[in-house]
Amino acid sequence: MSNEIESILTENRVFPPFDNLVQGAAISGMDGYRAMCNEADANPDEFWARLARENLVWNKPFTQVLDESEAPFYRWFGDGELNVSANCLDKHLGTPTANKTALIFESDDGKVTKVTYKELHARVCEFANGIKALGHKTGERAIIYMPMSIEAVVAMQACARLGIIHSVVFGGFSSKSLHERTVDVGASLVITADEQVRGGKTIPLKNAVDEALGMGGCEAVSHVIVYKRTGGQVAWSEGRDVWMHDATANQASQCEPVALSAEHPLFILYTSGSTGKPKGVQHASGGFLLWSLLTVNWTFDAKDSDVFWCTADVGWVTGHTYITYGPLAAGLTQVVFEGVPTYPTVGRFWDMIQRHKVTVFYTAPTAIRSLTKAAEASPSHHPREYDLSSLRIIGSVGEPINPEAWMWYYKNVGGERCPVLDTWWQTETGAHMITPLPGVTPLKPGSCTLPLPGIAAAVVDEAGEEVEQGKGGFLVIKRPWPGMIRTIWGDPERFKKSYFPPELKGYYLAGDGAQRDKDNYFWIMGRIDDVLNVSGHRLGTMEVESALVAHDLVAEAAVVGRPDATTGEAVVAFVVLNQSLPEGEEADHIAKQLRDWVAREIGPIAKPKDIRFGENLPKTRSGKIMRRLLRVVAKGEQVTQDVSTLENPAILDQLSQAH
Ligand code: 6R9
């Protein structure tokens, strides 16, 4: 790692778009981008209507575009009818795409299975017929608790085909979380697997379902359909439990897709809010489908020849939008991966890119940071040891990507030939919102750059007034867009309160802090509650983290605020080093070094008051650092919150020990 000053606010490198990508891009050059933005701003309804007519297959055309009569409960294309699964699969039958590979599935132990669009269509139809035969109907809710698999995609698509609203629960969640979600959506059907396999280990899923359903309140669940992944031992409840292969046996490979209102809920996906209970984010069929398809085409500049790989799990929104729906609607070939990036070696991702000739690769900063560290420690699995020349675009999602990680990704994975697309969006937004476009946007490491056409993103103060360039504020979206959240399932009041606070003029409040630079580029400063105020200065936790990570000794860092009598808030940094855990004098020495480093990088104001070293950081299973818990630890208080969603709960004790 270099010692360059790479703090966000001093970042000034610019990487212009590559000529080969500008040529033939879906949106070509800044002029093409501006023209689309202008079209959208001049008449948003006409803009979205045109795109919805050109890109989606409708059973019944819509006459109304945006219905604002019950704002903020916006409705899009509400009197139109379509089917999402038909738009992902049936649309391709009778075209050359029918015989193209839709999914390249690679199991944890490296076994590869491919299915064409025609085969996937048949499998979805057979499963949908099986679900129907069990008596399930349009409008019911299904919980999907499955490993990454072709079967998981089939299950989601089969639900969409029937208008059964799915709620996917990440396979790493506990039976307690599963129970909570099953009750909240009032599920009548659960689709799961006997076990899942990750990193050579098997983890039971069906057992967890049995436990969850045994906790009470799930009496509406009449069937549990089980995909046999490993053949491991499972308990069986006769009459309720059905093997997936039995449900599909002898079913016809044709199943009429149900024509549904564009506003029919497609799925509910739970995400953490600022308080305890997770929010059931509800998405609609037409708008979500349109936005996921458009962003695959725009952001990833989808080409028929692409091999697309999004490494997310279908348990997260990224897996919904950029595995199950968007890429299929776009007719792409994509890789679906069961396992983890570090098994059997830390070169697994690079090996898979090489073998499957992946052209578009989309992953998370946390993966990049941990693989950076792993590659330095294990040179024979460093990306430079693999042929990654098939790549043309590489993307990032989930959290701010610090310039240090950005540069490593750009150089070592992208070979300085591929743009790094830092895509900002949320479960609630359905798909990308602020992101560079490959044939358009000059890149600045650490910035998600500019909003997509039609997305009225802005940075405002407490009264909803736009702030000047260089000043921090709330990230808002001023106009509704088709892919947006419709409501929080069962809690419309919380929806209004969380996302449309009255003082912000009816704008959508993202919950992130941001600022724009002199080129109007957006820089995300982390969640609103992650922006610190130290002696009246606004300071992004991300800024301090970025500075720390730029130090040679530091592998990863998380920064939180702690109330301080003198300065308002004080900076507390949790640091993972590139070496073994320091103790005693050595720890004091390194802490001082890092403090001075931050002071030099950003200014004395950002100097962490307290630095704690740990072997790793508390993370959710999706890789997000749990800053909420770190704030408790920083205050020296006992963690009383639920830590069941943590990947590594034991780390909290280690970090509690201030040196
Ligand atoms: C897609 C997804 C959303 C939150 C969001 C923000 C953070 C996501 C980001 C980013 C900076 C990016 N986030 N992408 N922050 N730069 N490119 O991750 O959805 O799980 O709902 O998380 O993640 O804080 O508000 P979700």
Side-chain angles (χ1 to χ4, degrees), residues 372-434:
T372 305
K373 193 176 158 192
E376 310 300 338
S378 173
S380 61
H381 298 114
H382 193 282
R384 68 174 164 253
E385 299 300 319
Y386 300 81
D387 177 6
L388 306 182
S389 60
S390 56
L391 288 173
R392 61 184 199 95
I393 289 167
I394 54 178
S396 162
V397 58
E399 50 180 318
I401 176 165
N402 47 294
E404 189 75 25
W406 195 104
M407 285 306 300
W408 187 88
Y409 194 32
Y410 180 75
K411 283 187 183 152
N412 296 290
V413 181
E416 301 184 53
R417 295 174 287 107
C418 307
V420 174
L421 307 179
D422 177 3
T423 61
W424 178 86
W425 60 296
Q426 309 174 290
T427 304
E428 294 88 341
T429 69
H432 300 158
M433 299 293 279
I434 308 179

Side-chain angles (χ1 to χ4, degrees), residues 114-244:
K114 296 183 183 180
V115 290
T116 64
Y117 272 89
K118 211 159 99 190
E119 289 162 347
L120 185 60
H121 172 265
R123 290 185 60 172
V124 169
C125 286
E126 285 161 12
F127 191 45
N129 282 330
I131 293 175
K132 260 204 308 207
L134 292 171
H136 295 284
K137 297 195 171 56
T138 305
E140 290 182 24
R141 274 83 57 208
I143 289 280
I144 298 181
Y145 185 63
M146 293 181 87
M148 286 300 289
S149 53
I150 293 171
E151 286 71 13
V153 176
V154 167
M156 293 166 80
Q157 285 282 345
C159 287
R161 200 164 186 86
L162 300 174
I164 290 175
I165 305 159
H166 62 65
S167 185
V168 184
V169 178
F170 176 57
F173 276 130
S174 65
S175 53
K176 197 161 159 282
S177 311
L178 181 63
H179 172 257
E180 190 177 17
R181 288 155 173 76
T182 308
V183 171
D184 199 66
V185 294
S188 57
L189 173 65
V190 175
I191 308 171
T192 188
D194 49 0
E195 298 179 312
Q196 62 176 333
V197 187
R198 282 164 67 81
K201 295 193 198 80
T202 53
I203 307 150
L205 290 178
K206 170 66 164 60
N207 276 359
V209 171
D210 291 339
E211 251 176 63
L213 298 187
M215 290 175 190
C218 310
E219 290 70 25
V221 175
S222 55
H223 293 105
V224 176
I225 303 182
V226 188
Y227 158 51
K228 191 182 262 189
R229 166 63 185 89
T230 63
Q233 199 69 41
V234 289
W236 207 251
S237 167
E238 279 310 325
R240 187 196 72 180
D241 297 350
V242 186
W243 287 110
M244 192 173 189

Side-chain angles (χ1 to χ4, degrees), residues 324-382:
T324 303
Y325 293 111
L328 294 181
L332 294 181
T333 295
Q334 66 174 318
V335 174
V336 174
F337 178 41
E338 180 178 46
V340 299
T342 49
Y343 179 85
T345 74
V346 296
R348 182 69 181 262
F349 274 3
W350 325 131
D351 178 48
M352 284 181 64
I353 292 171
Q354 172 176 297
R355 277 188 291 111
H356 299 301
K357 301 199 167 37
V358 171
T359 60
V360 180
F361 180 64
Y362 191 37
T363 195
T366 184
I368 298 163
R369 286 195 303 265
S370 67
L371 291 174
T372 305
K373 193 176 158 192
E376 310 300 338
S378 173
S380 61
H381 298 114
H382 193 282

Side-chain angles (χ1 to χ4, degrees), residues 458-573:
V459 181
V460 302
D461 62 18
E462 288 81 356
E465 297 299 334
E466 280 199 48
V467 301
E468 296 163 38
Q469 290 172 334
K471 287 255 161 62
F474 303 127
L475 179 58
V476 296
I477 314 295
K478 291 167 128 184
R479 273 201 318 261
W481 67 102
M484 70 192 296
I485 176 176
R486 293 303 190 267
T487 188
I488 292 175
W489 177 262
D491 202 346
E493 280 310 310
R494 188 173 178 196
F495 168 75
K496 279 202 276 192
K497 231 173 89 191
S498 308
Y499 302 113
F500 294 92
E503 62 278 13
L504 292 187
K505 303 181 169 177
Y507 300 160
Y508 167 81
L509 176 67
D512 279 341
Q515 59 176 280
R516 302 182 82 164
D517 67 15
K518 62 178 183 8
D519 299 318
N520 267 333
Y521 275 38
F522 284 82
W523 298 79
I524 306 294
M525 297 162 75
R527 300 293 302 185
I528 292 170
D529 34 14
D530 287 338
V531 177
L532 311 180
N533 192 323
V534 181
S535 303
H537 296 270
R538 219 183 254 267
L539 193 65
T541 50
M542 167 63 195
E543 246 175 279
V544 186
E545 288 168 14
S546 193
L548 284 166
V549 173
H551 191 282
D552 273 354
L553 286 176
V554 178
E556 202 165 17
V559 166
V560 299
R562 180 176 65 199
D564 187 282
T566 320
T567 55
E569 273 184 307
V571 178
V572 181

